[in-house]
Amino acid sequence: MANTSTRTLRLLSLLQTHRYWPGTQLAERLGVSVRTLRRDIDRLRELGYPVEARRGVDGGYQLTAGAALPPLVVDDEEAVALAVGLQAAAHSAVEGLAESSVRMLAKVVQVMPARLRRQVEALRAMTLPAGWDSPTRPGVDPGVLTAVALACRDSEHLRFSYTAADGQHTERHVEPHRLVSLGRRWYLVAYDLTRHHWRSFRIDRLTAPHGTGSRFRPRDLPAADAAEFVRTSLGNLPRPYRVEALVDAPAAAVRERIGRWATVEELDAEHCRVRMTADSLDWPTMALGALGADFRVLDPPELLEQIHNWGARFNRARA
């Protein structure tokens, strides 16, 4: 018979694979008595897993929704799928999702066996993401994001190679503070130990990051938060467009079409407000035009001009 800890993990895994398990069948799968099964169920409950029991001849057990999310047990295929999904979500345009995805990705990769890491890397390398972004936009290696995220979490000194906007290559030694996703790009906010001041580094220009094993006591950031520091450090660089429009269509219908890339606010049963952020105005123009409904642009003025120009071009094509 397996020891108690191993059997408890096995029980949890079984409960997660089926919605409902008859008690006798579950005990048989574990190779224990029904009485021992009840003790193991109680142990899971003590750990925070909401296991519901059904009494009677057909009695059994099932996992239900609880007040908090307990740890999950996943198999190899699920772990690979989770890591690949988190890598994709790390490039999401949904506010707040990218940062949380990278934090979760760092946790998963840290405990993932080497054989599964190779599967994740193979899937990433052989998968071409489909989207409206410019094909010239530099990509970010999820492995780089993960390494930097772990160094930030552990307050560990980080070394990496960096290529500046003018093409100059330098070696950097920093105290990493936070990762920031802003304008569809990733930035590392860190204290540069060579130049003795705070910096923000574009992750797509950063290569070969590795922790030194040396820990540090975090310094006070000279800004309200890391995101504000990056915005300030970017100075007069072009900002992404913030688009706002009123659409003559139900919010549910609009969310179904473009909800993955935009925030849709219901105004009434037949009207909604759409907000999105983009580096160019091409995607908002296509998205709004594809809704099949009338709309009115509130911001920015440049979008109105582009829609007018596109409309004139389409009219000439018809003529």
Side-chain angles (χ1 to χ4, degrees), residues 12-14 16-18 72-86 104 108 112 116 119-120 123:
L12 177 59
S13 178
L14 289 171
Q16 289 179 171
T17 58
H18 289 290
L72 301 177
V73 175
V74 297
D75 60 27
D76 287 1
E77 292 182 356
E78 292 168 339
V80 171
L82 178 62
V84 172
L86 288 170
M104 184 60 193
V108 172
M112 184 175 283
L116 296 186
Q119 291 184 38
V120 172
L123 280 172

Side-chain angles (χ1 to χ4, degrees), residues 12 15-16 18-19 44 49-52 61-65:
L12 177 59
L15 287 172
Q16 289 179 171
H18 289 290
R19 178 171 177 81
L44 281 180
Y49 294 94
V51 183
E52 183 179 276
Y61 302 94
Q62 69 181 55
L63 280 175
T64 60

Side-chain angles (χ1 to χ4, degrees), residues 175 177 189 191 197-198 216-224 229:
E175 294 178 354
H177 179 72
V189 175
Y191 185 83
H197 61 77
W198 286 91
F216 62 89
R217 178 177 295 179
R219 304 169 188 261
D220 292 332
L221 183 69
F229 179 84

Side-chain angles (χ1 to χ4, degrees), residues 178-233:
R178 288 287 188 279
L179 277 168
V180 174
S181 176
L182 185 65
R184 304 302 297 275
R185 295 192 190 278
W186 279 99
Y187 299 87
L188 166 64
V189 175
Y191 185 83
D192 193 317
L193 294 170
T194 303
R195 293 160 176 77
H196 303 291
H197 61 77
W198 286 91
R199 284 287 312 275
S200 64
F201 300 93
R202 264 179 50 178
I203 297 296
D204 57 284
R205 294 176 178 170
L206 186 156
T207 57
H210 60 279
T212 66
S214 173
R215 305 297 175 88
F216 62 89
R217 178 177 295 179
R219 304 169 188 261
D220 292 332
L221 183 69
D225 55 44
E228 181 59 34
F229 179 84
V230 172
R231 292 189 188 97
T232 302
S233 65

Side-chain angles (χ1 to χ4, degrees), residues 258-305:
I258 63 171
R260 181 179 175 184
W261 304 279
T263 300
V264 182
E265 175 190 354
E266 182 177 2
L267 298 179
D268 56 42
E270 297 298 328
H271 301 85
C272 63
R273 184 189 308 271
V274 172
R275 295 185 178 92
M276 65 181 76
T277 303
D279 292 330
S280 80
L281 293 174
D282 291 344
W283 159 241
T285 303
M286 289 186 286
L288 292 171
L291 291 177
D294 290 340
F295 62 90
R296 181 161 60 92
V297 174
L298 301 180
D299 201 49
E302 297 94 328
L303 180 57
L304 283 172
E305 182 179 356

